Amino acid sequence: MPGKRILLVDDEKDFVEGLGERMRIRGFDIETAVSAKRAVQMVREKAFDVIVLDLNMPEMDGLETLKLLKENNPDIHVILLTGYATAEKGIRAMLSGAEEVLEKPSHIEDLIRKIEKVATRKMVKV
Amino acid sequence: MNHQWEIICNDGFQFMGKMNASISHEIKNVLAIINENAGLMEDFTRMAEKGLPMDPERIKSFARKIQGQVQRADGIVKNMNTFAHSVDEPRKRIDVGELLAFMTTLSKRLASMKEITLTVMPAAMPLTITTTPFLAHHMIWRCLDFAMAVSGPNSTVEITPDKTEGGARIRFKLPTGLIGKPSQALFPSDVENALADVLNGQVRVQQDSGEIVLILPESIDG
């Protein structure tokens, strides 16, 4: 699974940088964005295997961003990160097209498992 | 409970909930950054154990980020504690500048989500009033919330306190586009009117200058 291109999106720069470096150590091809607008622009310019997206961001929240990403590319795979993964938030996220929801802070292995899960789904689909 | 207090209590619970949710989200973000930087220290140590060269400066930079986030969390928790204790005393002598600085700090994350900057202008002279702290916080939040709602992204809400004969006047600058436009239908609502009443104050939108004007008396007890 290492080698997959992942986009990490969160307005907390120190968080995406830290997580990004840990993912790179594990062999993933990581790019980061600290705003939803930048993430949407990056997804238009490049192909990513999975987007890891924070639910609470300025400009556009995660669900709005997800909707926009899905409009541009319905096959895009998105994992939502949230401070509090309530059942209601999870259902809303899934209805908006997220495939997985993960609570922050989380173990990196849990995130990698979820990335592998959604990326595998993509491979089966293709 | 009369109707006025019913309005204040209902909205007051929502206000407390909103502030607590915002504070807890910010703490979660801090924990997530600490988690990743602690994880990086672990990753680098493991690599060193395998014989890979380790740059001590990198480890120091992770430690510094963790220390910075601990300081950030300390500030957040101190504000949370101050907010929680604002219900303790029905009457308290408070500095209006400090009250506004506290409320803008508490609302900073919510403002930032809307891409809005909150700026408190210094009062020309020391300005203190005797009031009910929690209700004053609630009232200021209602003014900030409306000012933020009508201000677009990348804007600044400027808050200016000054002394009046009978107490304090606090002005919240609204976007220039609202000057002269009728906004009484939106503000003040029943909640702001009820709060102004129990605080023995007044709240209105000043049409010509495009400001919310909040008047709080020198003493809530008259």
Side-chain angles (χ1 to χ4, degrees):
Chain A
M1 203 50 62
K4 288 283 168 197
R5 180 178 276 181
I6 316 292
L7 176 61
L8 303 178
V9 190
D10 194 301
D11 61 309
E12 292 278 355
K13 188 169 169 271
D14 285 341
F15 172 71
V16 280
E17 280 181 356
L19 179 58
E21 187 156 2
R22 295 188 76 200
M23 298 286 285
R24 280 186 203 105
I25 289 170
R26 285 157 178 80
F28 288 90
D29 180 3
I30 298 292
E31 295 209 28
T32 60
V34 290
S35 76
K37 278 182 192 162
R38 177 73 188 128
V40 171
Q41 188 188 348
M42 286 171 82
V43 168
R44 279 185 187 139
E45 290 164 1
K46 280 183 194 173
F48 290 94
D49 294 296
V50 180
I51 317 290
V52 180
L53 181 66
D54 183 38
L55 190 61
N56 283 288
M57 285 187 295
E59 301 172 347
M60 273 186 271
D61 72 18
L63 291 182
E64 280 177 82
T65 312
L66 174 60
K67 205 173 156 189
L68 206 56
L69 291 172
K70 285 278 176 188
E71 276 170 15
N72 285 310
N73 181 356
D75 293 330
I76 209 157
H77 293 261
V78 178
I79 296 172
L80 271 182
L81 288 177
T82 173
Y84 291 96
T86 59
E88 188 205 341
K89 271 187 190 171
I91 291 165
R92 278 173 57 211
M94 296 298 184
L95 288 174
S96 304
E99 287 167 69
E100 294 287 340
V101 178
L102 190 65
E103 193 167 307
K104 285 199 295 185
S106 61
H107 289 291
I108 195 162
E109 289 75 20
D110 290 339
L111 175 60
I112 291 172
R113 266 194 293 275
K114 286 186 187 287
I115 287 173
E116 285 170 350
K117 200 169 151 188
V118 299
T120 308
R121 262 182 222 148
K122 187 176 187 179
M123 279 190 277
V124 169
K125 202 174 171 184
V126 170
Chain B
M1 190 188 293
N2 69 29
H3 184 58
Q4 190 179 44
W5 277 107
E6 199 176 321
I7 290 170
I8 293 170
C9 285
N10 285 342
D11 196 75
F13 285 129
Q14 286 181 29
F15 165 55
M16 275 220 122
K18 198 172 184 81
M19 290 299 145
N20 281 321
S22 173
I23 290 166
S24 62
H25 273 286
E26 208 175 345
I27 292 172
K28 279 278 201 172
N29 279 337
V30 169
L31 291 174
I33 296 170
I34 290 174
N35 187 48
E36 297 315 327
N37 281 281
L40 277 168
M41 288 172 93
E42 191 185 8
D43 289 348
F44 273 61
T45 309
R46 280 196 183 151
M47 287 192 287
E49 282 168 356
K50 287 178 186 167
L52 290 165
M54 182 170 67
D55 178 5
E57 283 306 314
R58 291 304 312 277
I59 301 292
K60 280 186 198 166
S61 79
F62 304 144
R64 274 195 297 271
K65 278 191 181 166
I66 291 173
Q67 285 161 351
Q69 292 303 318
V70 169
Q71 292 291 315
R72 179 181 167 193
D74 187 49
I76 297 166
V77 172
K78 273 182 186 156
N79 283 333
M80 187 172 77
N81 185 270
T82 304
F83 184 57
H85 283 291
S86 69
V87 293
D88 291 355
E89 295 172 82
R91 299 284 184 274
K92 196 178 177 186
R93 193 86 192 149
I94 54 175
D95 183 284
V96 174
E98 284 174 15
L99 168 73
L100 294 173
F102 173 72
M103 276 312 294
T104 50
T105 303
L106 205 62
S107 312
K108 196 176 167 187
R109 183 180 167 274
L110 295 166
S112 150
M113 298 296 286
K114 293 178 178 173
E115 298 178 85
I116 291 170
T117 306
L118 303 174
T119 306
V120 180
M121 306 308 284
M125 59 181 76
L127 188 52
T128 59
I129 57 169
T130 299
T131 192
T132 306
F134 181 74
L135 294 177
H137 289 157
H138 188 183
M139 182 79 212
I140 287 163
W141 163 250
R142 294 290 308 187
C143 296
L144 284 174
D145 194 33
F146 178 77
M148 289 195 289
V150 295
S151 302
N154 301 312
S155 59
T156 297
V157 173
E158 201 177 271
I159 306 129
T160 310
D162 52 55
K163 197 170 172 59
T164 62
E165 207 172 298
R169 180 177 63 172
I170 304 164
R171 291 173 293 143
F172 303 78
K173 192 89 185 146
L174 299 174
T176 48
L178 284 184
I179 294 177
K181 290 191 178 164
S183 50
Q184 288 96 333
L186 303 167
F187 192 93
S189 71
D190 287 351
V191 179
E192 291 86 45
N193 283 326
L195 280 164
D197 207 32
V198 296
L199 285 164
N200 266 336
Q202 292 169 37
V203 64
R204 64 176 186 274
V205 172
Q206 190 79 33
Q207 298 297 333
D208 53 353
S209 58
E211 292 171 330
I212 294 172
V213 179
L214 171 64
I215 309 274
L216 293 173
E218 201 276 334
S219 172
I220 191 171
D221 300 313

